[in-house]
Amino acid sequence: MNYGVVSQEQLEKIDEILSEQLIKIGVDCVIIIDMAGNIITAKDNGTSKYDVYSFAALAAGNFATVDAMAKLVGEQEFSLLFHKGTDCNIHFSKIDEELLLITMFGKHISLGFLRLNVVKALEQIRKLWAGK
Amino acid sequence: MSFINLREKIVQVKVVYYGPGRGGKTSNLEYINRKFSKQIQSEMVSLKTHGDRTLFFDFLPFDMGKIKGYELKIQLYTVPGQVKYNATRKLVLKGVDGLVFVADAQEAMREKNIRSLNQLHENLKGYKESIFKIPLVMQYNKVDLRNQGIPVLPTAVLEKDLNSKLKVPSFEASALTGYNVPETLKKIISSTVVSVQKKLL
Ligand SMILES: Nc1nc2c(ncn2[C@@H]2O[C@H](COP(=O)(O)OP(=O)(O)OP(=O)(O)O)[C@@H](O)[C@H]2O)c(=O)[nH]1
Ligand SMILES: [Mg+2]
């Protein structure tokens, strides 16, 4: 596994994708983490203040737990992992076996619209990854 | 698996405190959190039961400052030690770079230490890691109980039980008083950083 080091160029391209597809539509914060809880990159709209390191540790744990539960009931995976709050929602999606994309967004964005944009971002990131 | 961000020059390394239930893993992190507050920029996260037993993990990010131009962030985790939580222990071990095995030095805990270490060996195999290769430090915790007349195993016995094949650095310690808690931490950080450097750079 070599994903442990990501080049500056790749990171910049990923950040561009995240800005273009997600921050632009009004998402508060996007984080890419690996399944061990490390942060690959984090982007926000400039106003949100999260403790991203603790967040990444908890998010990786949360995802891993749900994934393990899926396997226990004989599912490959639960494809939608989404937490809904009053002011903040959190959406998880798997980029590949090692990476997760986590999006935090407010009530002015619908889940459907967000998912559409997440899918686009995922496609672009996977393409970038495949071409490295 | 450590992660290196070449743009922001940040290295993240995952160190897990592993060992039998009530051995003192959480207490190690609590002591570190109290004593090194300057190097800890966020709150310790503890997912625990009402009875203060670890349910999922504790998490404490520890800032080592700059080494060779890279900011080094050591992400400290504990596993839940209770026997029934092995599924969760495995999840926490995902991507581990270095381990501290916290043994409970009380005579009554002898079997439990050995069983926990054997399970660690198995759990690491599940990730294609080897207990013989991964950076590991042994800690024989609760030696302060000797002064209270509670039977504590001699270190030679603990070494024979737990460290005769592994031959890793080991410390007697007390997570209650802090005795050798920083030494354990320093040792595992230095071994882990050396191994990450070899793997990635
Ligand atoms: N005397 C003494 N007591 C200790 C020491 N370290 C921990 N304890 C006590 O042992 C009990 C369990 O400590 P924890 O740190 O919660 O143990 P743990 O390994 O995190 O336990 P789990 O989360 O269940 O796996 C607590 O009551 C601690 O105060 C020590 O060095 N000496
Ligand atoms: Mg604990």
Side-chain angles (χ1 to χ4, degrees):
Chain A
M1 274 189 295
N2 309 317
Y3 76 95
V5 188
V6 180
S7 75
Q8 174 147 351
E9 202 191 332
Q10 276 173 325
L11 273 180
E12 262 152 30
K13 284 194 183 134
I14 289 173
D15 279 5
E16 240 167 66
I17 298 170
L18 298 182
S19 296
E20 197 58 33
Q21 297 296 344
L22 295 165
I23 299 292
K24 238 189 188 169
I25 65 163
V27 160
D28 298 328
C29 181
V30 201
I31 307 177
I32 295 182
I33 66 170
D34 68 13
M35 300 294 180
N38 295 310
I39 294 182
I40 313 302
T41 187
K43 267 222 130 349
D44 62 41
N45 59 5
T47 59
S48 53
K49 274 262 166 290
Y50 298 106
D51 176 354
V52 283
Y53 285 95
S54 305
F55 190 89
L58 290 166
N62 183 31
F63 189 86
T65 310
V66 173
D67 207 46
M69 286 192 293
K71 304 240 154 69
L72 272 183
V73 299
E75 283 290 325
Q76 265 291 311
E77 61 186 17
F78 293 127
S79 52
L80 176 63
L81 186 54
F82 174 59
H83 300 302
K84 184 164 173 45
T86 326
D87 294 315
C88 177
N89 308 298
I90 307 177
H91 180 269
F92 291 73
S93 36
K94 209 164 151 177
I95 300 174
D96 60 23
E97 287 311 305
E98 293 298 338
L99 298 174
L100 277 182
L101 177 83
I102 301 159
T103 318
M104 278 166 266
F105 60 102
K107 49 191 161 196
H108 51 281
I109 302 180
S110 76
L111 178 59
F113 185 53
L114 179 95
R115 287 181 77 184
L116 207 67
N117 284 273
V118 164
V119 167
K120 278 192 224 156
L122 288 180
E123 277 169 6
Q124 293 177 12
I125 293 170
R126 287 188 191 124
K127 219 185 262 169
L128 183 76
W129 229 245
K132 77 172 176 180
Chain B
M1 181 79 193
S2 55
F3 179 75
I4 301 187
N5 184 326
L6 292 176
R7 181 183 46 181
E8 274 140 55
K9 299 210 170 255
I10 298 174
V11 181
Q12 295 166 72
V13 166
K14 181 170 183 174
V15 170
V16 176
Y17 282 66
Y18 194 104
R22 286 203 183 287
K25 302 175 290 295
T26 299
S27 304
N28 263 271
L29 261 60
E30 284 170 343
Y31 183 84
I32 294 165
N33 193 23
R34 281 199 305 275
K35 281 290 146 172
F36 298 94
S37 54
K38 260 197 295 186
Q39 277 156 286
I40 294 159
Q41 258 130 44
S42 50
E43 301 264 306
M44 177 163 157
V45 175
S46 290
L47 302 179
K48 57 189 177 189
T49 66
H50 287 302
D52 264 352
R53 307 292 304 269
T54 303
L55 178 63
F56 197 161
F57 58 76
D58 301 296
F59 172 71
L60 186 65
F62 188 84
D63 277 315
M64 283 297 290
K66 282 207 170 140
I67 293 177
K68 293 185 184 161
Y70 281 81
E71 204 180 308
L72 187 55
K73 287 188 186 289
I74 310 290
Q75 320 283 40
L76 302 175
Y77 288 79
T78 72
V79 298
Q82 292 181 76
V83 172
K84 61 184 171 199
Y85 293 143
N86 196 42
T88 343
R89 270 195 291 284
K90 283 189 204 161
L91 296 181
V92 179
L93 283 176
K94 168 95 191 172
V96 61
D97 296 300
L99 281 157
V100 173
F101 186 85
V102 181
D104 189 326
Q106 294 177 84
E107 254 178 49
M109 294 293 290
R110 192 170 174 185
E111 273 305 311
K112 287 203 173 131
N113 291 328
I114 296 170
R115 236 177 278 147
S116 172
L117 187 67
N118 285 337
Q119 197 176 51
L120 171 61
H121 179 46
E122 291 303 318
N123 287 344
L124 286 172
K125 277 198 225 160
Y127 288 117
K128 301 199 169 55
E129 283 283 356
S130 159
I131 198 171
F132 294 100
K133 288 193 186 134
I134 197 158
L136 173 67
V137 170
M138 281 284 164
Q139 184 186 70
Y140 306 130
N141 189 37
K142 304 196 183 181
V143 294
D144 60 284
L145 290 175
R146 272 185 198 136
N147 307 327
Q148 292 175 40
I150 293 171
V152 166
L153 293 162
T155 298
V157 172
L158 287 157
E159 280 281 302
K160 188 168 158 287
D161 279 356
L162 306 170
N163 204 12
S164 58
K165 284 193 211 137
L166 292 168
K167 299 193 170 59
V168 295
S170 62
F171 295 92
E172 288 190 342
S174 166
L176 206 62
T177 65
Y179 168 61
N180 274 344
V181 169
E183 286 71 13
T184 308
L185 176 66
K186 274 176 210 155
K187 192 77 202 170
I188 191 58
I189 290 177
S190 65
S191 331
T192 308
V193 168
V194 167
S195 122
V196 166
Q197 274 179 337
K198 269 193 209 148
K199 258 196 267 177
L200 292 179
L201 296 179

